[in-house]
Amino acid sequence: DADVTQTPRNRITKTGKRIMLECSQTKGHDRMYWYRQDPGLGLRLIYYSFDVKDINKGEISDGYSVSRQAQAKFSLSLESAIPNQTALYFCATEKTGDADTQYFGPGTRLTVL
Amino acid sequence: SQQGEEDPQALSIQEGENATMNCSYKTSINNLQWYRQNSGRGLVHLILIRSNEREKHSGRLRVTLDTSKKSSSLLITASRAADTASYFCAKRSRSNYKLTFGKGTLLTVNP
């Protein structure tokens, strides 16, 4: 079984809809991250969390919110989706003090029409 | 702003050749990491080099770091078609400890 899972893997939605993307991990890591990837722009950090209830904004947090109710789960919400939020979204985990490596989920491809 | 701009943006080589990708950055780093991404999939960590190291090896991978030039390079030797992927460098900031990814190099290895 994959250590970092994301659901759904693909989602098509309409402008104005509320969307939630889920990330779960079995690695026991304390840190979790949400990134979005757009062609030619690499990965950009949306939000990150160093522990349960700890939430920090990344470089592109506008239009997004997150929730970290349990160490293993980190969810990303788009309150009112817009077309320029169409992208590939990745969750990643990291263990404090453990070689600084991030472990990525398989991604969620989101299309906002 | 994004650190760690990779160069070139795209690279096409023949199987068996070596592939070299470069990464530059702007501010002080704690370490620099290289990740690989197969098309549309999650990134996979390849290798990490700390700011006090100059060279590291892992299998067919060789990474160098020149802190005076604020640059790093990833060399893949004896490339294979299966090495076809995008390669990203990521810098761990010394000041705020954030990991910042570059835009990536798309490597195509032709059989």
Side-chain angles (χ1 to χ4, degrees):
Chain A
D1 287 341
D3 295 321
V4 184
T5 58
Q6 292 183 235
T7 56
R9 294 294 313 279
N10 289 282
R11 181 72 183 267
I12 300 173
T13 190
K14 295 182 179 180
T15 297
K17 293 290 187 181
R18 184 178 188 273
I19 296 296
M20 181 179 286
L21 309 183
E22 304 273 10
C23 176
S24 294
Q25 52 118 344
T26 58
K27 300 184 76 67
H29 289 174
D30 50 341
R31 300 182 176 194
M32 297 186 74
Y33 302 80
W34 274 106
Y35 294 92
R36 70 175 274 177
Q37 184 177 33
D38 300 273
L41 293 180
L43 271 74
R44 292 183 290 168
L45 182 63
I46 306 173
Y47 271 97
Y48 61 102
S49 168
F50 285 173
D51 206 344
V52 176
K53 300 296 176 79
D54 175 68
I55 301 295
N56 304 282
K57 291 183 177 181
E59 59 181 306
I60 54 163
S61 58
D62 287 349
Y64 302 94
S65 62
V66 291
S67 175
R68 182 97 184 268
Q69 298 294 329
Q71 189 184 54
K73 297 185 183 296
F74 192 34
S75 60
L76 175 72
S77 293
L78 287 67
E79 297 301 326
S80 180
I82 56 177
N84 76 1
Q85 290 178 313
T86 293
L88 194 51
Y89 289 84
F90 288 103
C91 172
T93 73
E94 182 181 315
K95 183 176 181 181
T96 302
D98 185 21
D100 296 322
T101 300
Q102 290 192 1
Y103 296 84
F104 283 77
T108 293
R109 186 170 296 280
L110 176 66
T111 303
V112 183
L113 302 177
Chain B
S1 63
Q2 285 185 302
Q3 288 212 66
E5 301 306 323
E6 287 90 340
D7 170 55
Q9 290 185 332
L11 178 62
S12 182
I13 60 174
Q14 296 299 123
E15 242 181 349
E17 295 180 339
N18 295 340
T20 299
M21 288 159 270
N22 303 297
C23 170
S24 61
Y25 57 93
K26 297 177 181 177
T27 58
S28 294
I29 61 170
N30 181 281
N31 63 66
L32 187 143
Q33 306 173 35
W34 286 89
Y35 288 78
R36 165 193 168 128
Q37 182 184 35
N38 286 78
S39 181
R41 300 196 173 186
L43 279 70
V44 175
H45 180 262
L46 293 176
I47 193 167
L48 178 152
I49 187 165
R50 301 197 183 281
S51 59
N52 61 352
E53 298 175 315
R54 292 297 167 258
E55 188 171 314
K56 278 190 90 168
H57 297 255
S58 177
R60 293 185 295 113
L61 304 180
R62 172 178 169 252
V63 172
T64 60
L65 179 65
D66 186 334
T67 53
S68 66
K69 296 181 179 178
K70 290 186 167 58
S71 67
S72 173
S73 66
L74 171 68
L75 169 67
I76 303 175
T77 61
S79 63
R80 305 165 182 169
D83 293 328
T84 294
S86 291
Y87 292 82
F88 294 86
C89 71
K91 282 78 51 232
R92 180 75 70 176
S93 169
R94 182 177 297 281
S95 60
N96 60 24
Y97 219 64
K98 286 183 181 177
L99 189 64
T100 305
F101 288 83
K103 297 179 181 180
T105 292
L106 175 60
L107 172 66
T108 302
V109 181
N110 302 298

